[in-house]
Amino acid sequence: MCELLGMSANVPTDICFSFTGLMQRGGNTGPHRDGWGITFYEGKGFRTFKDPNPSCKSRIAELVQQYPIKSRAVVSHIRQANRGGVSLENTHPFTREVWGNYWTFAHNGQLTGYEQLVTGRNQAVGDTDSEIAFCWLMNQLEIRFPVLPEDMTPVFGYFAECCDTLRQLGVYNMLLSNGDYVLSYCTNNLHWITRRAPFGKASLIDEDVTIDFQRETTANDVVTVIATQPLTNDESWQKMVRGEFRVFHFGETVYHAVAADANAC
Amino acid sequence: MCELLGMSANVPTDICFSFTGLMQRGGNTGPHRDGWGITFYEGKGFRTFKDPNPSCKSRIAELVQQYPIKSRAVVSHIRQANRGGVSLENTHPFTREVWGNYWTFAHNGQLTGYEQLVTGRNQAVGDTDSEIAFCWLMNQLEIRFPVLPEDMTPVFGYFAECCDTLRQLGVYNMLLSNGDYVLSYCTNNLHWITRRAPFGKASLIDEDVTIDFQRETTANDVVTVIATQPLTNDESWQKMVRGEFRVFHFGETVYHAVAADANAC
């Protein structure tokens, strides 16, 4: 299994605090030794830092923890390899340009029968189930919506349907972003929390670090963090249910659906 | 104008020495203040570090200079903006997946009439002439070769033709790589040097740094560096001619062509 971390915010926000917690799970408080990656969007552009080495020992992870890159959309992942060897091309997140946007994807879980997924123009470079699922997902969307419509509601509806299909292949917990929206899908393990005024303090589970968000934010800030497991032990995280699809924009939920067959899974 | 830096080597090699020289031109010994980027391939995967801020002041550039990432193929760029604003999405290099490979591109020069280029499935995310030229180039190649043939000779021939077409639109100096091959094209400013045994010493033009390659290499290493202007003052760099297209693989030239109309340009 792997761990996911995402963020959606209405102002450029640094994710150093949450990232510090996550990185400890990469070989220290957790067994995720097989690489890590993080993508920060800034406008329509993005920066990805990744490393096939354990995050708790990575010099690049250290830079990311200390250097506060401010972003409104972040997707991050630490890996414990199951499908696909330990290599840079198999390290999440994966990015593809579709509709003139960069889409960035990370997956937690394991799929079977994924080799049959038709990925069309988007070919996988590595050999993970995750990258193939991502390429299939974007191919399905591009076929259905050759041009991105202004009203995203039907697009989100179709994203949710496609994620439901992938859940039939196994465990599919997902984060996906184009820098504007952060899309999340849960099979069994995904939590989120929205922080807004009045801000309080929070303490990391994985390291002895406490932050006072009051000092780091303004009264209008809305910041949602999404993670496989809660990262703090003194806040109330929302647990997503099986088959739940949730889209965040500027920190707020803008689309929400739960698969009709979710209870039957 | 911008500056390009590329490397092709037969063993994973760090580019810290050359990168140190290039980075000084980003706002210190040169006027290229509008961002920088570098892509390192490792296997089929890649890592890109980029920043829209001047390279001579960038904390991320500092990490890249000090942290020897070893690679057989590198593409780097520092920017002085002409077409397109200063932003992360307009910062080179640009990467797209085509034929199940990541292709990474950087351009030096300025084009006119580029808005007419048909980019097909590969849409530009930013608004530079460079990214549109790259998307057009990959679209042309994909239409001509829906599947990448085993023998790359006709593919390189067609790449050269397409680069000649782009040269008709203005100044087009280019570096392009899929991690295996490093392709270069010259309109007016591109130099290269191949270092092999017996290795000597070299001194950077832009900073007071000398390296003894003898101490850093083994007898079988072959390393080619390609740059807009020579980076060292005590070695013989080859100047490429107008309309020249050259492909490097493991440090050696494996394809070479000069446009028939080159003298007429």
Side-chain angles (χ1 to χ4, degrees):
Chain A
M1 293 291 280
C2 313
E3 296 219 18
L4 298 171
L5 171 65
M7 187 187 75
S8 168
N10 67 343
V11 288
T13 302
D14 84 62
I15 198 170
C16 294
F17 175 69
S18 300
F19 188 73
T20 296
L22 185 78
M23 288 300 98
Q24 291 306 313
R25 297 184 185 177
N28 201 351
T29 59
H32 316 285
R33 305 197 134 272
D34 302 324
W36 64 277
I38 186 165
T39 297
F40 300 90
Y41 280 91
E42 290 164 66
K44 297 179 76 178
F46 70 97
R47 275 190 256 224
T48 295
F49 298 88
K50 54 169 72 173
D51 207 329
N53 300 314
S55 56
C56 68
K57 290 182 182 164
S58 165
R59 175 116 177 244
I60 301 173
E62 208 177 285
L63 173 88
V64 176
Q65 270 171 260
Q66 291 167 3
Y67 182 62
I69 294 175
K70 287 179 185 280
S71 174
R72 290 201 293 209
V74 173
V75 172
S76 179
H77 182 270
I78 52 176
R79 181 164 186 240
Q80 188 178 5
N82 42 56
R83 307 269 189 237
V86 178
S87 65
L88 193 56
E89 68 264 29
N90 285 343
T91 304
H92 306 223
F94 305 106
T95 301
R96 292 288 187 283
E97 174 272 309
V98 179
W99 300 306
N101 283 201
Y102 292 119
W103 290 83
T104 297
F105 170 97
H107 166 225
N108 152 253
Q110 195 163 344
L111 306 176
T112 53
Y114 60 91
E115 305 88 344
Q116 314 305 324
L117 295 169
V118 175
T119 61
R121 72 153 225 177
N122 297 302
Q123 293 182 49
V125 174
D127 52 6
T128 60
D129 50 355
S130 308
E131 191 187 7
I132 292 170
F134 172 41
C135 291
W136 174 83
L137 183 63
M138 297 316 293
N139 189 48
Q140 291 294 108
L141 264 290
E142 242 185 324
I143 291 170
R144 176 68 70 96
F145 301 98
V147 175
L148 200 61
E150 207 146 297
D151 175 12
M152 289 290 282
T153 313
V155 181
F156 293 145
Y158 190 55
F159 261 117
E161 265 181 55
C162 291
C163 290
D164 292 339
T165 302
L166 290 170
R167 178 170 45 89
Q168 310 304 323
L169 303 183
V171 175
Y172 185 73
N173 301 301
M174 174 202 84
L175 289 177
L176 178 64
S177 181
N178 69 343
D180 226 11
Y181 298 100
V182 177
L183 289 62
S184 58
Y185 186 84
C186 176
T187 295
N188 58 357
N189 265 320
L190 208 53
H191 295 75
W192 61 277
I193 187 168
T194 300
R195 297 180 182 127
R196 62 177 89 231
F199 290 96
K201 290 185 183 175
S203 309
L204 284 180
I205 292 171
D206 298 87
E207 200 168 8
D208 190 15
V209 175
T210 298
I211 193 168
D212 182 356
F213 289 116
Q214 180 73 42
R215 295 181 53 183
E216 311 281 333
T217 51
T218 72
N220 299 321
D221 292 10
V222 179
V223 182
T224 292
V225 174
I226 311 137
T228 298
Q229 295 296 336
L231 291 164
T232 56
N233 55 18
D234 43 12
E235 297 180 297
S236 292
W237 291 70
Q238 308 292 315
K239 182 167 169 51
M240 286 174 74
V241 300
R242 186 181 293 261
E244 183 174 349
F245 174 75
R246 191 175 281 270
V247 179
F248 299 94
H249 185 236
F250 289 172
E252 306 282 5
T253 297
V254 293
Y255 187 94
H256 180 228
V258 179
D261 71 330
N263 293 329
C265 284
Chain B
M1 292 292 278
C2 312
E3 296 219 17
L4 298 171
L5 171 66
M7 187 186 77
S8 168
N10 67 344
V11 289
T13 302
D14 85 63
I15 197 171
C16 294
F17 175 70
S18 299
F19 187 72
T20 297
L22 186 76
M23 287 301 98
Q24 291 306 313
R25 297 183 186 177
N28 201 350
T29 59
H32 316 284
R33 303 196 137 271
D34 302 323
W36 64 276
I38 186 164
T39 297
F40 301 89
Y41 281 90
E42 290 165 65
K44 296 179 78 178
F46 71 98
R47 272 192 258 225
T48 295
F49 298 88
K50 54 169 70 173
D51 207 329
N53 300 313
S55 56
C56 68
K57 291 182 182 165
S58 166
R59 174 118 176 242
I60 301 171
E62 210 178 283
L63 172 88
V64 176
Q65 270 172 258
Q66 291 167 1
Y67 182 62
I69 295 176
K70 287 179 185 279
S71 175
R72 290 201 292 209
V74 173
V75 172
S76 179
H77 182 270
I78 51 175
R79 182 165 186 239
Q80 188 179 5
N82 42 57
R83 308 270 190 235
V86 177
S87 65
L88 193 57
E89 67 263 30
N90 285 342
T91 304
H92 306 223
F94 305 105
T95 301
R96 292 288 186 281
E97 173 272 310
V98 178
W99 300 306
N101 283 202
Y102 292 119
W103 290 84
T104 297
F105 170 96
H107 166 226
N108 153 253
Q110 195 164 344
L111 307 176
T112 52
Y114 60 89
E115 304 88 344
Q116 313 305 323
L117 295 168
V118 175
T119 61
R121 73 154 226 176
N122 297 301
Q123 292 182 50
V125 174
D127 53 3
T128 60
D129 49 354
S130 308
E131 191 186 5
I132 291 170
F134 171 42
C135 291
W136 174 83
L137 183 64
M138 297 316 293
N139 189 50
Q140 291 293 109
L141 265 290
E142 241 184 326
I143 291 170
R144 176 69 71 94
F145 301 99
V147 175
L148 200 63
E150 207 146 300
D151 175 11
M152 288 290 282
T153 312
V155 182
F156 293 145
Y158 190 56
F159 260 117
E161 266 180 56
C162 291
C163 291
D164 292 339
T165 302
L166 289 170
R167 179 170 45 88
Q168 310 305 322
L169 304 183
V171 174
Y172 185 73
N173 300 301
M174 175 203 83
L175 289 176
L176 178 64
S177 181
N178 69 342
D180 225 12
Y181 299 99
V182 178
L183 290 63
S184 59
Y185 186 84
C186 176
T187 294
N188 59 357
N189 264 320
L190 208 53
H191 294 76
W192 60 276
I193 187 168
T194 300
R195 297 179 181 127
R196 63 177 88 232
F199 290 97
K201 290 184 183 176
S203 309
L204 285 181
I205 292 170
D206 297 86
E207 201 168 9
D208 191 15
V209 175
T210 298
I211 193 167
D212 183 355
F213 290 115
Q214 180 73 43
R215 295 182 54 184
E216 311 281 333
T217 52
T218 71
N220 298 322
D221 293 8
V222 180
V223 181
T224 291
V225 175
I226 311 136
T228 298
Q229 296 296 335
L231 291 163
T232 56
N233 55 18
D234 43 11
E235 296 180 298
S236 291
W237 290 70
Q238 308 292 313
K239 183 170 170 48
M240 287 173 72
V241 300
R242 186 182 294 263
E244 183 173 349
F245 174 75
R246 190 176 281 271
V247 179
F248 300 94
H249 185 236
F250 290 171
E252 305 282 5
T253 297
V254 294
Y255 187 92
H256 181 228
V258 179
D261 72 330
N263 293 328
C265 284

